[in-house]
Amino acid sequence: MSTDATATAPAPATKAERDALAILDAAVAATPHGQAREGQREMCAAVAAAIDTDEHLLVQAGTGTGKSLAYLCAALAAGKPVVVSTATLALQHQLVAVDLPRLVEAVAPVLGRKPTFALLKGRHNYICKRKIAGEEDEDDGAIEGTETLKWAGQQASFAKQVQRLFDWAGDTDTGDRDDLDPGVSDRAWKQASTSSSECPGAKDCAQGQDCFAEWARAKAHEADIVVTNHALLSIDMMNERSVLPEHAVLIVDEAHELVDRVTSAARAELHPARLRWLAQRGRRLIDPDVADQVREAADALEGALNAAGERRFSGDLPAPLVEALNLVNGACVKATTHLSTLDAETKKQLSAQQLKAGLVETIETAGRCIGPAGDDVIWSEPNGPQLVAAPLSVGGLLSAMLYEDRTVIAASATLTLGGRFDIVARNLGLPADGHGWSSLDVGSPFDYRKQGILYVAASLPRPTASGLSNESGKELLRLVEASRGGTLGLFSSKKAAAEAAELLRAQTDYDILLQGEETLASLVKRFKEEESTCLLGVMSLWQGVDVPGMTCRLVVVDRIPFPRPTEPLTAARSEAADAAGRSGFTEVSVPAAAIRLAQGAGRLIRRTTDRGVVAILDSRLETSRSYGKFMRDSLPPFWYTTKSDSVVGALGRLAETAND
C-alpha cells in the first residue's frame, strides 16, 4: 500500500499496466495544461493489474489525483465492457460531458478506434412520450401527489411547471430530466414520467419505438463504457443483475456512498395518501365497491399510524397497525383480482398499468411489514404519515450480487478510516480475510502539512444541547474575524447554522450567506465571488461545495457529525452490534461520523496553491480516548494544533495575503 504521493511509481510490470499507462500518457498530453501525476499513474497501473488478474480493488485517491482519468484509461486498455457508477450528479456530468468526450478523442490513435460511451439512468429520469401524448382520458385521480396543493399560488406554479415541461418534451433530443434547465419539482416531473413497474414495455406501448428510456438503454448496450448511478446499480443487484448491460468490469466511484444508496433503494414505504390515489384511480377501472375498500383501508392505516406516532418498532407491531395492514393487503389483493378480469386492451392502458404497479407494490410492502421478523427495520414517520421498512444491513446483498462474474474497482477520496481499509471493506461485503481483493492508497498531490492546519478547540466544553453554545459562538467569531471572512461553516443542525449566521451578522460587516435563504447554486456562486463572504449551512455543503482559492480559507465544523442516535437504522444497527457483544457506537456511529468529517475537511484544499485552516469546535476530537485519534487519522494529514492563538495568528497572516 502506498501512501506517499511524491514517491516515484515503480516501472509497470505487465503488458496490461504498460498499455494502460500508454493510454493515460496520450490522454494527459491532450488535456489542456495536463501533467503527469505519480498518484494517478500508480492508480492507473493498479486498476489495470486488477482487471487483468480478476482481483477486486479498493483504491483511495485524494482530491487532485485525477482518479477518474486513471480508472477510465485502465478500463479502455483492458478492452472489456465497463460500467462506471457514481453517487452524485456532479461527477456523472463531469464524466459524460467533460472527461469521456476528451478522452475518446485522445486515445483513438493509440487504440486504433474511437471508443464509445453512454449514460444510463432509471426509467423515471426520462420523459414518457405516452404520458405527453395524452392517449387516455384522465380525471383528477390521474394527477398523483397534487392533493397537498391547497392554495391558488401553489396550483398556479405547479400548472406553469407542467406546461413548461410538456413544451420542452417536444424539443428535447434525450428526454433526460437533467437536461431541463431550469428544472421542475418532483411533483411536476411525475406528470410526464413513469416508473419501470408502471411501464407496459416497448412492445405494448404505442410510443415504444420513440421511447427516450429505451433509446438510452439501446445506446448503452452498444457502448464500451456505460456511466450510471448508484441507485440504478442497486436496482440492478436487487433484480439479479438484469437491468444494466452485460459487462466485465464495474467501477464504483464515490464508493463511500454505496451502502447508503443501496439501503435507500431497498427501502419501502406505505402512504395512506398514495392508497387513496390508487382507490380514486381504481373507481374508473374496477368495481367501485372494491375501490372504496382500498380507500377505507387507507383511512384505517392513517389512524393506526397517527396513534403510533413517530417511533421504531422492535418486535411485534401494535395490534391496530397489524389490523390496518391486513385490511390494506386484503383490499389490494381483491383490487388486483378485479384488474385481472379486464380485457387485453384495457390492461395495456397507462392508467391500468399504474394501478396494477401501485397495488402490487403496496401488497409487497404490507407483507414485508407484517411478515415473519427478518432483517428489516420498520418505523413510522409523522410527515404523511407513512410506514417505512428498510434493511438492517445490505452487506449480504453486496457480497452476493456486487462481485460475482465481474471485477469491481471501488474508488473514493475517503475509503480509509483510521488509516485502514477494513471497516469500509466489511461494509461493502468483502471478506474479512482479504481473499480476492486488495487495497491501495495513492495519497494526494497536495502537501497537507504545509498547506493546511487542523485546529481542534480542545479548551471548549463538551457539546451538549443542540444549537450553537455561547463558548463555540465566541470561538467562531474570533476565527472568522481573524480570517476576515472567507469562511465555510458546516453545522450539525439548521438551528446551529441559523444561530451562527445571526451572531456573525450582528458582530461583523461581512456578507453572511445561510443555506435555505437562496438556492444552493446561487449561494455557492456568491461565495466564490467575494473573498470576505461567509457561507453557512448543513449536510449538502459537506460534500457539494468545490471552491478552490482564497475564497475558502477557513472551514469551521461546529461538532463531530455523529448520526442521530434516534435515527431508526442507526439505532437498530447499534443495538444489533451491542447484542452481538460489540460496541454499537464504535461500529456504527464513529465510522459514519469519520467519513462525514473527512468529507467536510476536504472542502479546504482543492488545488496545490490553496492554504487555510480546518477548525473543529468540538473538544472530543482531542480528548476522547476511544475515537479522537481514530477520527483525526481519518482526516487529511494537516499540521495539527489545539492552540487557538497560533491559529488566529496564521489566519491573520493568510487574510493579509488574500487582501493584498
Side-chain angles (χ1 to χ4, degrees):
M1 181 185 299
S2 171
T3 56
D4 185 356
T6 63
T8 301
T14 68
K15 182 178 183 301
E17 294 175 40
R18 290 193 296 272
D19 289 347
L21 290 174
I23 292 176
L24 177 61
D25 289 341
V28 170
T31 302
H33 311 295
Q35 58 182 0
R37 307 174 195 176
E38 289 303 325
Q40 185 182 57
R41 293 180 62 80
E42 185 180 5
M43 178 177 173
C44 182
V47 173
I51 296 173
D52 188 46
T53 59
D54 293 323
E55 182 179 63
H56 308 305
L57 175 67
L58 301 185
V59 56
Q60 177 166 281
T63 302
T65 301
K67 68 179 185 300
S68 60
L69 194 60
Y71 63 62
L72 288 172
C73 290
L76 286 174
K80 299 177 180 180
V82 177
V83 168
V84 180
S85 181
T86 75
T88 61
L89 289 174
L91 178 55
Q92 187 173 274
H93 181 268
Q94 174 73 22
L95 289 173
V96 174
V98 180
D99 293 345
L100 280 166
R102 183 183 295 157
L103 178 61
V104 297
E105 294 289 346
V107 304
V110 180
L111 294 176
R113 67 182 184 89
K114 183 177 174 180
T116 58
F117 63 91
L119 174 64
L120 183 61
K121 304 177 183 179
R123 189 173 293 273
H124 66 281
N125 289 284
Y126 301 96
I127 284 285
C128 173
K129 288 195 172 183
R130 187 177 180 182
K131 275 194 171 181
I132 295 296
E135 295 174 358
E136 302 167 25
D137 292 333
E138 302 283 14
D139 61 11
D140 290 340
I143 307 182
E144 180 184 2
T146 59
E147 59 277 348
T148 58
L149 300 177
K150 301 299 185 183
W151 52 283
Q154 287 180 315
Q155 294 168 359
S157 174
F158 172 76
K160 288 180 180 179
Q161 288 187 61
V162 172
Q163 184 58 56
R164 182 163 60 83
L165 181 55
F166 274 58
D167 292 342
W168 173 78
D171 298 327
T172 177
D173 294 326
T174 65
D176 187 337
R177 181 177 183 177
D178 290 329
D179 292 342
L180 175 63
D181 185 26
V184 296
S185 67
D186 290 344
R187 181 183 284 115
W189 180 257
K190 200 165 190 176
Q191 312 315 311
S193 65
T194 191
S195 67
S196 57
S197 60
E198 295 170 343
C199 176
K203 292 181 180 179
D204 293 325
C205 178
Q207 302 287 336
Q209 297 209 349
D210 297 320
C211 175
F212 287 123
E214 291 296 324
W215 177 81
R217 286 176 63 86
K219 186 178 179 183
H221 277 273
E222 299 297 324
D224 296 304
I225 296 179
V226 175
V227 178
T228 188
N229 53 59
H230 291 355
L232 194 60
L233 174 62
S234 303
I235 293 169
D236 182 63
M237 287 189 286
M238 291 188 292
N239 287 274
E240 299 184 350
R241 305 265 293 272
S242 62
V243 177
L244 294 173
E246 289 188 11
H247 54 281
V249 180
L250 171 65
I251 298 171
V252 183
D253 204 341
E254 301 175 311
H256 63 281
E257 293 273 6
L258 183 61
V259 170
D260 285 344
R261 301 305 172 98
V262 175
T263 301
S264 295
R267 168 179 167 137
E269 301 170 353
L270 268 182
H271 303 262
R274 165 78 167 163
L275 276 171
R276 292 191 186 96
W277 181 82
L278 291 172
Q280 187 173 355
R281 165 147 291 194
R283 292 182 65 85
R284 303 175 62 243
L285 295 164
I286 60 176
D287 185 338
D289 290 338
V290 176
D292 286 343
Q293 290 179 33
V294 175
R295 179 183 53 76
E296 290 166 2
D299 293 341
L301 177 62
E302 183 168 32
L305 288 173
N306 286 334
E310 184 177 9
R311 59 183 288 196
R312 175 172 62 92
F313 302 104
S314 53
D316 295 335
L317 301 182
L321 184 54
V322 173
E323 182 179 349
L325 288 170
N326 282 323
L327 286 173
V328 168
N329 187 71
C332 290
V333 167
K334 187 178 291 187
T336 56
T337 302
H338 276 248
L339 267 180
S340 67
T341 65
L342 297 175
D343 62 82
E345 285 305 311
T346 304
K347 287 180 181 178
K348 292 180 182 179
Q349 291 181 7
L350 182 61
S351 55
Q353 292 285 338
Q354 289 179 319
L355 179 58
K356 179 182 177 181
L359 291 170
V360 169
E361 180 182 333
T362 300
I363 292 168
E364 291 175 350
T365 304
R368 187 171 165 181
C369 292
I370 59 179
D375 293 331
D376 275 335
V377 180
I378 301 172
W379 69 93
S380 57
E381 296 180 354
N383 52 325
Q386 63 180 343
L387 187 66
V388 184
L392 178 66
S393 170
V394 296
L397 173 65
L398 292 172
S399 180
M401 300 304 298
L402 183 61
Y403 305 100
E404 185 178 1
D405 298 328
R406 61 185 172 192
T407 302
V408 176
I409 310 297
S412 172
T414 49
L415 278 186
T416 62
L417 293 174
R420 307 192 311 271
F421 282 93
D422 56 335
I423 295 175
V424 171
R426 182 181 67 238
N427 291 340
L428 289 174
L430 287 166
D433 61 6
H435 177 71
W437 65 277
S438 61
S439 60
L440 174 70
D441 184 352
V442 299
S444 168
F446 303 145
D447 188 342
Y448 282 108
R449 284 188 61 82
K450 290 184 177 179
Q451 291 183 245
I453 296 172
L454 172 63
Y455 164 58
V456 174
S459 63
L460 293 181
R462 179 188 179 99
T464 52
S466 63
L468 190 71
S469 69
N470 289 334
E471 294 85 355
S472 293
K474 291 177 182 177
E475 186 69 4
L476 170 66
L477 179 61
R478 187 167 184 252
L479 294 170
V480 171
E481 287 181 330
S483 180
R484 301 179 195 174
T487 301
L488 176 65
L490 305 176
F491 293 87
S492 54
S493 67
K494 291 181 180 179
K495 179 182 179 183
E499 290 174 350
E502 182 180 3
L503 171 68
L504 294 177
R505 284 168 175 168
Q507 299 292 327
T508 73
D509 294 327
Y510 307 125
D511 286 336
I512 308 299
L513 309 179
L514 179 63
Q515 188 177 2
E517 294 182 346
E518 298 179 37
T519 65
L520 183 58
S522 174
L523 290 172
V524 172
K525 182 175 182 292
R526 289 182 59 191
F527 182 49
K528 290 180 178 179
E529 289 173 348
E530 177 54 56
E531 290 187 348
S532 64
T533 299
C534 300
L535 173 58
L536 315 181
V538 288
M539 199 60 246
S540 55
L541 290 185
W542 289 72
Q543 297 186 72
V545 176
D546 186 6
V547 184
M550 293 301 292
T551 300
C552 182
R553 54 189 174 270
L554 171 62
V555 175
V556 179
V557 177
D558 70 325
R559 65 173 65 198
I560 297 172
F562 290 115
R564 286 187 302 112
T566 56
E567 193 277 321
L569 282 173
T570 299
R573 289 168 177 170
S574 295
E575 287 179 8
D578 290 338
R582 306 186 301 273
S583 166
F585 177 72
T586 300
E587 187 172 302
V588 178
S589 296
V590 170
I595 288 177
R596 192 174 298 172
L597 195 61
Q599 290 289 316
R603 300 308 93 201
L604 181 68
I605 305 298
R606 309 303 294 177
R607 61 187 184 190
T608 55
T609 55
D610 287 348
R611 301 288 187 274
V613 172
V614 174
I616 315 291
L617 307 183
D618 190 332
S619 57
R620 293 174 294 179
L621 200 64
E622 164 66 20
T623 61
S624 172
R625 295 182 179 179
S626 61
Y627 58 79
K629 185 177 185 303
F630 172 85
M631 286 196 175
R632 296 198 305 272
D633 288 345
S634 301
L635 301 178
F638 299 113
W639 187 79
Y640 177 63
T641 185
T642 59
K643 297 179 179 179
S644 178
D645 289 343
S646 298
V647 173
V648 166
L651 283 171
R653 292 188 293 274
L654 196 61
E656 289 177 3
T657 302
N659 290 295
D660 282 346

